[in-house]
Amino acid sequence: MKGLIIDKVHSSIKAELSKYMQMDEHLLPTQEELKGMIGEYDVLIMRVDPFLNKEFFDAAKNLKVIGVCAVGLNHVDLETAKAHNVQVFNAPGLNANAVAELTLSKMLDLSRDVMTANHDVKVEKQWDKYKFVGRELRGRTLGVVGFGKIGRRVAKFARAFDMTTVAYDPFLTQEQVAGEDTQLLPIEELLKVSDYISIHVPLTPETKDLISKEKLKSMKNDCMVINMSRGGIVNEADALEALQNGQLGGYATDVMENELAAGGLTEGAGFDSPLFKEDKFIVSPHIGAQTVDASRDIGAHIISKVKEAFNLN
């Protein structure tokens, strides 16, 4: 058997699976490159790029298992995978704490203008503490959009800061979140009452541009939005306009709509956006799950699923 790793994943995956099969690495191939090489492999280990379409599965003559070292599966044509008898495993929940901690970090950074203050001191060589008057999380309301494992972890952290938490999740009832100390609300009401909005939903046709011009207008003028899910859920042009006209108090994100442009997700990739000129916008390059802890846990899970699929001891 042969396995192929196409992204940076925990070293334990290659080390353990090499006991049972030949493991090759080719980091971040294009869709065409992957289609050309996948035919000889039984196992594919990846994260979120590239998109695996019908042409890929038609070329994957020997493929039996795909291990996705991430939560989202919107980059895999799951119906075609099933038709080709390819099992697809992801790692739901294993990055929840890592993403939740980064979410709270971004909330604090926005609230206290940490990034701009850091730039003023290190780059501009200015020491002006009177320029930065922030606000505390205490007593504020956090609206969590998507109340799965990550959303619930974020809400738990927020309550430790004495915040009130509300949530929108059309797939849950209040009875199903009993004990979470969080009220479920329709999204229109959540947007109106929240001082912070944290987004943790997959990118689907229903969630594309979920936060756009009209919904931004319905928020409090000093509301701060944190997108830790997928680019495209927040309409970036509308967010830019809302920042510039004062409708939005701040926008922090770990994802961008066109983050794969110019080789995004690769080392040294170039990237630009009009949002970068805004002090009240902060961004990181999709690092939500990038901790040694989450990587280790995800690696162990994917190893176990691959071994289970092939009945390996």
Side-chain angles (χ1 to χ4, degrees):
M1 288 195 300
K2 297 182 68 175
L4 177 64
I5 298 173
I6 63 169
D7 209 327
K8 288 190 175 181
V9 297
H10 199 267
S11 59
S12 61
I13 295 178
K14 183 176 183 180
E16 180 63 21
L17 295 184
S18 291
K19 298 175 183 178
Y20 308 96
M21 65 187 77
Q22 176 184 323
M23 293 298 297
D24 298 333
E25 290 184 272
H26 186 109
L27 296 186
L28 291 176
T30 65
Q31 195 175 57
E32 283 300 311
E33 288 172 339
L34 182 58
K35 187 171 67 174
M37 69 178 72
I38 195 61
E40 60 183 298
Y41 291 100
D42 304 272
V43 177
L44 175 66
I45 304 295
M46 67 182 306
R47 292 178 75 179
V48 298
D49 187 57
F51 184 82
L52 305 185
N53 57 15
K54 183 180 185 301
E55 289 74 22
F56 163 83
F57 285 104
D58 288 342
K61 302 299 184 183
N62 295 319
L63 192 63
K64 301 172 183 66
V65 170
I66 299 173
V68 177
C69 297
V71 177
L73 289 172
N74 55 293
H75 59 291
V76 181
D77 184 338
L78 294 175
E79 288 189 9
T80 302
K82 183 177 181 181
H84 283 71
N85 296 314
V86 177
Q87 297 183 69
V88 182
F89 302 113
N90 63 340
L94 296 179
N95 67 352
N97 191 74
V99 176
E101 287 188 7
L102 186 59
T103 303
L104 265 292
S105 170
K106 288 183 182 292
M107 289 172 62
L108 291 165
D109 288 345
L110 278 180
S111 299
R112 301 301 297 272
D113 287 317
V114 172
M115 295 300 185
T116 306
N118 177 72
H119 176 85
D120 275 14
V121 175
K122 293 178 66 176
V123 178
E124 303 297 336
K125 306 297 190 291
Q126 295 178 0
W127 191 272
D128 184 359
K129 70 177 182 180
Y130 301 105
K131 180 179 177 180
F132 302 100
V133 179
R135 73 187 198 194
E136 300 177 18
L137 302 186
R138 178 185 57 173
R140 308 281 177 170
T141 297
L142 170 64
V144 182
V145 178
F147 208 54
K149 291 183 178 180
I150 295 174
R152 295 183 193 210
R153 190 71 171 163
V154 170
K156 181 178 181 179
F157 289 165
R159 289 193 295 273
F161 282 83
D162 292 329
M163 300 184 79
T164 298
T165 56
V166 296
Y168 164 72
D169 195 314
F171 301 102
L172 296 175
T173 65
Q174 193 64 55
E175 290 73 22
Q176 290 174 304
V177 300
E180 296 287 347
D181 199 19
T182 298
Q183 182 183 3
L184 290 178
L185 296 176
I187 191 166
E188 292 79 12
E189 188 173 345
L190 179 144
L191 298 177
K192 291 178 182 178
V193 304
S194 298
D195 301 293
Y196 297 82
I197 294 169
S198 186
I199 301 169
H200 307 280
V201 296
L203 178 62
T204 67
E206 291 73 30
T207 62
K208 180 77 167 67
D209 291 329
L210 179 67
I211 304 300
S212 55
K213 184 173 293 187
E214 291 306 311
K215 287 193 170 63
L216 287 163
K217 287 180 180 178
S218 71
M219 299 176 190
K220 297 180 180 181
N221 281 349
D222 60 352
C223 182
M224 295 181 175
V225 174
I226 301 93
N227 182 10
M228 299 297 293
S229 49
R230 287 289 185 269
I233 294 172
V234 174
N235 184 293
E236 292 173 9
D238 292 349
L240 174 62
E241 182 180 346
L243 285 173
Q244 292 174 334
N245 64 25
Q247 285 182 344
L248 187 60
Y251 177 39
T253 185
D254 189 44
V255 291
M256 297 288 287
E257 186 171 4
N258 294 315
E259 65 187 46
L260 296 180
L265 297 182
T266 62
E267 292 183 10
F271 193 78
D272 199 2
S273 167
L275 282 164
F276 294 172
K277 297 178 181 178
E278 301 300 314
D279 287 343
K280 289 293 186 178
F281 172 73
I282 60 175
V283 60
S284 48
H286 209 147
I287 61 171
Q290 290 284 85
T291 67
V292 294
D293 316 83
S295 177
R296 177 198 62 225
D297 295 345
I298 290 170
H301 174 75
I302 293 298
I303 289 168
S304 69
K305 299 304 288 185
V306 173
K307 292 173 73 172
E308 179 183 322
F310 289 100
N311 295 313
L312 302 174
N313 295 321

